[in-house]
Amino acid sequence: MRASDDDRDRVASVLREHYAQGRLTVEEFDERLEQLYASKTYGELATLTSDLPDVDLRKLPTAAPRQPAKPEESRSNQLAAMWAPWAIASGVNWVIWLIIGLTSGLDFPYPWPLWVMGPWGAILLVSTVLIGLRKDGKP
């Protein structure tokens, strides 16, 4: 009988468990995984686990379905991913500006980090507003 992708995923989880318990070496685990994803029938799957204890392919638990990320979490993650590099780059530029000012006898140069922060920050601000509008269901 032909095996499905879910069947292969269940056997892969069994192999991972046996590997974690020390019954399989890294090489054996890798080799069995390669054979697993090339397997087409239950018989081929059964040979991969035949020397491992307590493995009945018909009674394997189904893989737990993955929960999709909540829209609010994905938006906040997206915003954090957008603003974090801007904040780091801005901070580094201001530190460099401060070091230059302090090492030149308190003669601080033109605040050039504003040119780095400004355009990039404006684009991020517009993106943040648009993401907020999309969250509210507005166009």
Side-chain angles (χ1 to χ4, degrees), residues 19-100:
Y19 171 69
Q21 293 176 1
R23 290 191 183 101
L24 297 171
T25 65
V26 175
E27 294 82 21
E28 288 174 319
F29 179 68
D30 290 339
E31 181 181 309
R32 288 182 192 215
L33 278 182
E34 286 177 21
Q35 292 173 359
L36 169 71
Y37 290 110
S39 299
K40 292 183 174 83
T41 64
Y42 281 115
E44 292 171 338
L45 295 179
T47 59
L48 296 172
T49 57
S50 63
D51 62 336
L52 300 172
D54 300 322
V55 177
D56 184 4
L57 294 180
R58 285 162 283 179
K59 295 183 181 180
L60 288 177
T62 58
R66 294 182 182 163
Q67 296 293 333
K70 295 180 182 176
E72 297 84 26
E73 291 176 7
S74 65
R75 284 189 187 99
S76 64
N77 290 343
Q78 184 181 12
L79 288 174
M82 287 172 28
W83 282 97
W86 176 84
I88 291 169
S90 298
V92 168
N93 281 301
W94 280 112
V95 167
I96 292 170
W97 178 83
L98 183 65
I99 290 171
I100 291 171

